[in-house]
Amino acid sequence: MTAARRQTVFAGLDQPQAWPPTPRAPRAQRLDAPVESLGGVGAALARRLAKLGLASVRDVLEHRPRRYETAADEVRIAALPHDEEVVVVGEVLNVERRPLRGRRTLVRARVSDGSATVSAQWFNQPWLADQLRPGSRVRLRGKLGRFGFDVRSYDLGEARATADFAPVYPAAEEIAAKTVRRVVDAALPFARDVLDPLPAELRQRESLPLKRDALAAIHTPASLDEAERGRQRLAFEELLLLQVGIARRAAEREHTLAASLGEPGELIRRYREALPFALTPYQEQAIRELDGDLASTVPMQRLLQGDVGSGKTVVALYALLRAVENGRQGALMAPTETLAEQHFLTIADLCLELGVTCALLTSSSPKRDRDAAAHADVVVGTHALIQEGVELRDLAVAVVDEQHRFGVEQRAALVHGRAPHILHMTATPIPRTLALTVYGDLAVSEIAKPPASRKPIVTSWITEDRASEAYVRLTRLLGEGRQAYVVCPLIEASETSLARAAEEEAERLRRAELREFRVGCLHGRLRPADRRDLMARFTAHELDVLVATTVIEVGVDVANATVMIVQEADRFGLAQLHQLRGRVGRGAEQSYCVLVSRARDELTESAQARLQALCDTTDGFRLAETDLELRGGGALLGTRQSGLSDFRFAHVLRDRELLERARTASREVGPGPLQDAVDALFAAVEPQTLA
Ligand code: ADP
Ligand code: MG
């Protein structure tokens, strides 16, 4: 690979003085024309295309096929093999349409090519019965099955949908794949108006085709290889733009000043002594890395990632105390009030012991208390609140927990005006590639393993009809003095109806399975004081079971809680289940998590895969990757809206090598069209996103 690339560099030395003129000069503005400007696209179709995000000619050109047809042999009907994808060409003899059970329909056509006839069938496309007139010629791609020829794609006339390597666009309810293909065909001639933002020299060094050729290749490839080379070219540009933008941001930060916090001192020494355990090597490593950052006047931007329960909070408090021992303030920001309260409970005692003032700042605290809280050495609060202009007199270190929940946007807003050192913490492990792409300007510290005393959580998956077994096991463990969480189903509903459902479930359990135990109910509708009180009672083991909505997802930390039952677990996402599960397994006792799902045949394949993955591993990084595989690269960690992680062509898991190449290339990009493209990309995102 390297050798090949080097060769093209030398080839690049022989560039001619002037290139031969192209038949007509490209006109980039044509690409911004609305889809209606394309032949055969009227207002109604334009509206439907808009729902696919296709508004301009450019959008259509950049609409990526989901997959391609394979190469399939054209065979005579008399020689049709069973169960192998092939193409047949013939004439329609007759057509029938039949309703099936449910609201399904079947269209059947007898087709002959002179050698024999076959019965071709389509499901749920009733309108086809009118198009397939007797006597019309058809080209069908599909497989011979038990009841006839199952048609996968078809053409009336010329081979397009059935051609080898024909692009297959993402299905949409509103619009037939065939129509999308027709619109793309109409847009393709405009590919030559696409200017290539990549410098020619870079393109040659990386052996990348011209952008317009790449676009043509993804829509009309002559082979799968060609389609993939086109995709890689486009993915490379996406990754490069992002990397250049991120590098710019990092450079801007170099010009901002933060206080240098020097070396750790007396307070830190006492903190280490006060901890009831020795730090793990991973924690020590993270601390060394952040000490290095804090000694500098460049504001720290570090991501501390580690699985749930890996011991990040200890490191976070360390960072906050580094501010305090320099006479400055530290702030710990959480996404929700419950989590803020939980963090506060976790660190308040330790702070007291060290003579450090620590205050909780929530939207429910009265104005007077807020002002007082804002003067504490360590302030714990919700991100929203701290951001909304509570003046922290002398903030030097901010820890932002669960970064992904804020998205990229808020993390920037905080930096505005003041320049504290910032440590972002996340318990949703982000695969390393993704961390590089989305948070590319952050240095990353990783707590790869939890404290050694942890036992992996034993996870099992059962269906509803066996749920009673789970409660039998639960009552036994409760009888032995353990505590438990029961997580209520996640229904698409308001906070209020979720709360009601949780209350009802708690009531039901108090009367039935758990009547001998003390059951509390935690949900988002409780007043903060009540919620705090409930958590404190659970922590003090005045309650055995906490029935909860997903408000316990993050931060709740009770080592004696060793059992979790998740009801209708199939409704939850993989990352969310992993987060939930992280509430148990926090002490030395063996912990259990039971996932209760609906009946197997009611579950989607992806739901089954999620539940199985959770039983198979407790490794958050592996689960995060599985999650990405199951969901595709698009919707990631709630940053989708930001546009920055929303790739059309790049695949964050598979394109690792491409990403590295883009990173390397980004260091030497001079002024030119590429920089303009970066401006355009980053301007499309809200400006504050990029502060
Ligand atoms: P995270 O924030 O990463 O989810 P925490 O910092 O809350 O994890 O730690 C989880 C639990 O492990 C806490 O009860 C904490 O006191 C404990 N813990 C943290 N570090 C260590 C360590 N080095 N040895 C033993 N226990 C630890
Ligand atoms: Mg924690």
Side-chain angles (χ1 to χ4, degrees):
M1 179 65 113
T2 357
R5 245 184 272 157
R6 206 171 290 135
Q7 270 180 3
T8 53
V9 174
F10 288 119
L13 295 175
D14 307 326
Q15 275 178 26
Q17 286 301 304
W19 296 95
T22 42
R24 102 175 147 61
R27 277 180 273 170
Q29 68 277 17
R30 286 170 186 243
L31 299 169
D32 297 320
V35 282
E36 278 112 315
S37 68
L38 295 170
V41 181
L45 179 52
R47 264 197 307 279
R48 283 181 290 148
L49 288 167
K51 290 201 179 141
L52 290 178
L54 308 179
S56 67
V57 174
R58 185 196 314 276
D59 294 337
V60 175
L61 284 174
E62 293 181 356
H63 189 49
R64 180 183 159 196
R66 186 167 50 87
R67 62 176 184 85
Y68 298 90
E69 295 292 3
T70 49
D73 290 335
E74 196 176 301
V75 299
R76 283 153 52 84
I77 292 176
L80 255 182
H82 258 275
D83 214 29
E84 183 184 316
E85 187 160 317
V86 289
V87 170
V88 296
V89 180
E91 185 178 313
V92 176
L93 300 182
N94 57 51
V95 188
E96 62 165 345
R97 173 166 62 192
R98 270 205 288 157
L100 297 177
R101 273 206 304 161
R103 288 167 56 203
R104 290 155 40 89
T105 57
L106 173 69
V107 169
R108 254 212 184 114
R110 283 208 76 71
V111 174
S112 161
D113 68 351
S115 76
T117 67
V118 69
S119 164
Q121 51 192 24
W122 289 259
F123 289 97
N124 304 324
Q125 302 174 57
W127 62 87
L128 268 179
D130 303 322
Q131 291 183 13
L132 297 165
R133 302 242 168 69
S136 52
R137 289 199 64 76
V138 287
R139 196 166 192 274
L140 308 174
R141 174 189 273 266
K143 275 183 195 174
L144 184 59
R146 265 209 298 163
F147 303 107
F149 190 77
D150 291 312
V151 180
R152 190 160 164 183
S153 60
Y154 65 95
D155 284 303
L156 298 165
E158 197 192 340
R160 294 157 81 96
T162 56
D164 288 350
F165 315 117
V168 181
Y169 296 94
E173 287 189 6
E174 306 257 341
I175 192 160
K178 183 171 93 183
T179 313
V180 176
R181 196 176 293 119
R182 180 166 62 74
V183 175
V184 170
D185 282 349
L188 271 178
F190 295 93
R192 70 172 122 143
D193 290 307
V194 172
L195 294 172
D196 205 312
L198 297 188
E201 191 268 336
L202 171 63
R203 220 179 48 237
Q204 288 184 2
R205 181 157 32 105
E206 296 287 338
S207 312
L208 297 168
L210 273 171
K211 183 169 189 176
R212 65 176 129 168
D213 295 336
L215 286 169
I218 63 162
H219 293 296
T220 53
S223 66
L224 293 182
D225 255 10
E226 190 181 304
E228 173 61 10
R229 273 200 306 281
R231 184 196 70 83
Q232 287 202 11
R233 156 68 187 78
L234 299 165
F236 181 86
E237 180 179 323
E238 268 180 337
L239 294 167
L240 181 63
L241 292 184
L242 186 67
Q243 295 305 318
V244 171
I246 283 170
R248 266 198 213 168
R249 240 201 284 185
E252 279 157 24
R253 203 169 71 231
E254 303 276 319
H255 298 294
T256 331
L257 281 184
S260 159
L261 299 182
E263 296 286 310
E266 169 65 13
L267 179 59
I268 290 297
R269 196 187 52 73
R270 286 194 287 126
Y271 173 55
R272 283 176 172 281
E273 272 169 18
L275 286 173
F277 42 71
L279 297 179
T280 65
Y282 295 103
Q283 287 168 322
E284 291 289 3
Q285 172 69 21
I287 281 172
R288 265 196 303 281
E289 287 164 354
L290 70 90
D291 272 338
D293 294 348
L294 296 177
S296 156
T297 52
V298 176
M300 169 169 79
Q301 283 286 347
R302 182 168 289 279
L303 178 66
L304 176 62
Q305 45 176 41
D307 213 341
V308 279
S310 61
K312 295 182 297 298
T313 313
V314 180
V315 176
L317 183 53
Y318 178 99
L320 297 172
L321 294 175
R322 290 295 323 276
V324 176
E325 69 177 4
N326 279 269
R328 311 279 303 261
Q329 273 182 305
L332 174 50
M333 277 162 265
T336 65
E337 293 216 345
T338 312
L339 185 51
E341 286 156 13
Q342 191 59 37
H343 275 314
F344 178 72
L345 288 176
T346 311
I347 68 174
D349 286 348
L350 205 47
C351 284
L352 191 68
E353 195 181 329
L354 297 171
V356 168
T357 57
C358 177
L360 178 66
L361 197 62
T362 71
S363 52
S364 52
S365 13
K367 175 92 173 65
R368 188 169 34 86
D369 290 4
R370 283 196 212 176
D371 292 342
H375 283 86
D377 295 326
V378 171
V379 182
V380 183
T382 54
H383 190 283
L385 193 74
I386 291 180
Q387 200 184 310
E388 272 163 23
V390 174
E391 271 307 315
L392 298 180
R393 72 189 146 85
D394 212 4
L395 186 66
V397 173
V399 175
V400 181
D401 196 10
E402 289 308 321
Q403 135 118 15
H404 71 277
R405 293 180 166 245
F406 301 119
V408 192
E409 304 77 30
Q410 287 102 328
R411 111 174 178 225
L414 183 76
V415 189
H416 232 75
R418 16 183 138 96
H421 294 284
I422 300 186
L423 182 67
H424 307 270
M425 286 203 297
T426 179
T428 302
I430 302 166
R432 198 147 196 108
T433 344
L434 192 57
L436 285 177
T437 51
V438 185
Y439 307 127
D441 58 335
L442 304 189
V444 180
S445 294
E446 188 177 305
I447 303 187
K449 288 225 175 71
S453 56
R454 282 307 147 61
K455 293 196 182 77
I457 302 159
V458 174
T459 303
S460 49
W461 163 28
I462 58 174
T463 48
E464 266 162 0
D465 50 314
R466 292 177 48 206
S468 59
E469 293 169 28
Y471 285 98
V472 170
R473 184 137 48 111
L474 173 63
T475 48
R476 206 187 59 229
L477 287 160
L478 293 175
E480 290 170 12
R482 303 280 87 77
Q483 290 167 279
Y485 304 102
V486 175
V487 181
C488 290
L490 181 76
I491 35 181
E492 282 295 325
S494 67
E495 194 73 40
T496 310
S497 55
L498 274 177
R500 197 177 322 116
E503 296 276 15
E504 278 166 15
E505 181 61 12
E507 205 38 60
R508 192 188 68 77
L509 288 170
R510 278 181 198 121
R511 280 195 310 267
E513 284 97 334
L514 302 179
R515 64 187 162 274
E516 284 157 36
F517 300 95
R518 298 159 298 176
V519 179
C521 182
L522 180 70
H523 56 70
R525 272 292 124 132
L526 289 179
R527 285 190 325 211
D530 295 340
R531 208 157 58 204
R532 212 156 14 202
D533 178 54
L534 195 65
M535 277 316 303
R537 280 166 57 210
F538 188 65
T539 309
H541 203 167
E542 291 166 22
L543 291 171
D544 302 300
V545 178
L546 211 49
V547 174
T549 60
T550 52
V551 294
I552 62 157
E553 191 183 335
V554 274
V556 172
D557 188 10
V558 178
N560 190 46
T562 60
V563 193
M564 170 173 286
I565 295 181
V566 185
Q567 298 177 338
E568 296 196 24
D570 50 289
R571 294 186 190 272
F572 294 86
L574 186 49
Q576 195 172 25
L577 284 171
H578 180 62
Q579 289 286 316
L580 280 168
R581 178 170 64 176
R583 299 309 107 208
V584 296
R586 301 178 83 83
E589 289 288 333
Q590 177 61 57
S591 285
Y592 304 90
C593 175
V594 185
L595 306 169
V596 184
S597 79
R598 290 172 290 168
R600 258 178 200 260
D601 58 6
E602 283 179 44
L603 303 185
T604 61
E605 243 171 68
S606 144
Q608 302 195 25
R610 287 199 300 270
L611 297 172
Q612 193 54 50
L614 282 154
C615 296
D616 293 346
T617 183
T618 52
D619 180 336
F621 282 85
R622 271 180 55 197
L623 288 171
E625 300 215 347
T626 306
D627 200 24
L628 273 176
E629 292 289 353
L630 288 174
R631 293 191 306 163
L636 298 166
L637 310 174
T639 54
R640 182 170 201 132
Q641 307 84 321
S642 77
L644 292 181
S645 58
D646 205 359
F647 298 118
R648 252 178 238 249
F649 300 105
H651 187 294
V652 287
L653 289 183
R654 268 191 263 128
D655 289 335
R656 272 165 215 244
E657 196 229 305
L658 204 57
L659 174 65
E660 285 308 325
R661 278 162 61 189
R663 271 172 85 77
T664 309
S666 72
R667 299 192 188 112
E668 46 192 83
V669 170
L674 189 73
Q675 295 288 2
D676 301 342
V678 174
D679 290 340
L681 171 69
F682 279 63
V685 187
E686 279 186 72
Q688 64 169 28
T689 313
L690 306 166

